C-alpha cells in the first residue's frame, strides 16, 4: 500500500503516545517550512528534494517523530563522496545515524558508527508509512536491516 504523504502527515500529527501520567503528541513541531525554505534546501543539497519530502515539510515543518527521528535544516547536506555521492541527507535519529535520499527518491539509512548503509524504502511516502506501521519504533526497524559496507 502506498498512501499519499498528506494522509500520512495527518496520521502522525493526530497520533499520541501514552506517557506516565498523560499522553503526548508523536510529532513535536519545531519550525514551519516555507516554499522559500524548500528552494534554499534544494540549492544547499544541490538537487531537488523528492516531491513527497517537500510535501511533508510543507505539511508538518521541522520537528521530531516520537523523539526518535529529527528533521532540521542542519541535517540537509549533499553527500559528496562514497557510494551515495550525489545523494543528500535530510534527517538524523537519536543515535546520530543519518537518513538520505538519492536522485530516484529512494531512502537510505547511513550508520554513524561504521561505513555502512542500506536502502530502507523505495520513496519517502513508503518510509513514513512503514514507520507508522512499526509504531514509530525506528531503532528496532534499523537494527533489523542488513547493511552494506563500503571503504571510506
Amino acid at each position: 500500500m502506498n498512501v499519499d504523504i498528506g494522509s500520512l502527515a495527518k496520521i502522525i500529527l493526530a497520533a499520541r503516545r501514552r506517557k506516565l501520567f498523560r499522553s503526548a503528541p508523536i510529532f513535536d513541531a519545531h519550525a514551519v517550512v516555507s516554499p522559500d525554505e524548500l528552494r534554499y534546501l534544494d540549492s544547499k543539497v544541490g538537487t531537488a528534494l523528492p516531491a513527497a519530502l517537500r510535501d511533508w515539510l510543507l505539511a508538518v515543518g521541522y520537528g521530531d517523530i516520537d523523539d526518535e527521528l529529527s528533521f532540521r535544516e542542519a541535517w540537509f547536506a549533499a553527500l559528496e563522496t562514497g557510494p551515495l555521492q550525489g545523494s543528500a541527507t535530510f534527517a538524523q535519529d537519536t543515535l546520530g545515524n543519518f537518513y538520505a535520499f538519492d536522485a530516484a527518491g529512494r531512502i537510505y539509512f547511513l550508520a554513524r558508527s561504521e561505513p555502512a548503509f542500506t536502502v530502507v524504502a523505495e520513496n519517502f511516502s513508503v518510509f513514513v508509512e512503514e514507520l507508522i506501521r512499526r509504531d514509530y519504533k525506528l531503532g528496532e526497524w534499523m537494527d533489523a536491516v542488513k547493511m552494506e559496507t563500503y571503504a571510506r
Side-chain angles (χ1 to χ4, degrees), residues 14 28 35 40 44-45 53 57 61 68 72 75 77 93 95 98-99 102 111 113-114 120 125 130 144 146:
D28 181 20
Y40 165 73
K44 179 179 178 181
V45 301
L53 179 55
L57 290 169
E68 290 264 339
R72 300 284 190 285
W75 305 150
D93 65 25
L95 297 176
F98 280 101
Y99 297 80
D102 67 10
S113 61
E114 62 182 315
V120 291
S125 293
E130 183 65 14
K146 183 172 175 11

Side-chain angles (χ1 to χ4, degrees), residues 1-132:
M1 181 163 78
N2 199 352
V3 180
D4 73 277
I5 199 66
S7 297
L8 295 170
K10 287 177 186 174
I11 290 168
I12 288 179
L13 290 174
R16 299 187 69 79
R17 172 85 66 212
R18 295 249 337 125
K19 300 290 183 180
L20 185 57
F21 296 109
R22 59 180 175 78
S23 69
I26 289 291
F27 189 78
D28 181 20
H30 287 267
V32 172
V33 174
S34 68
D36 286 341
E37 176 78 0
L38 291 177
R39 284 188 285 283
Y40 165 73
L41 292 174
D42 286 343
S43 67
K44 179 179 178 181
V45 301
T47 188
L49 277 59
L53 179 55
R54 298 174 76 78
D55 293 345
W56 165 265
L57 290 169
L58 288 172
V60 303
Y62 294 128
D64 303 330
I65 297 177
D66 204 27
D67 296 328
E68 290 264 339
L69 185 63
S70 169
F71 295 85
R72 300 284 190 285
E73 182 272 325
W75 305 150
F76 284 81
L79 295 172
E80 298 174 346
T81 62
L84 295 178
Q85 183 176 358
S87 301
T89 59
F90 67 88
Q92 184 178 40
D93 65 25
T94 56
L95 297 176
N97 302 303
F98 280 101
Y99 297 80
F101 63 86
D102 67 10
R106 288 180 296 261
I107 303 301
Y108 294 85
F109 169 74
L110 291 81
R112 174 181 170 259
S113 61
E114 62 182 315
F117 70 98
T118 191
V119 175
V120 291
E122 66 185 60
N123 61 51
F124 186 73
S125 293
V126 170
F127 176 74
V128 173
E129 187 175 353
E130 183 65 14
L131 187 58
I132 292 167

Side-chain angles (χ1 to χ4, degrees), residues 140-151:
E140 288 179 14
W141 178 16
M142 294 307 117
D143 285 346
V145 298
K146 183 172 175 11
M147 302 293 285
E148 182 178 330
T149 60
Y150 62 94

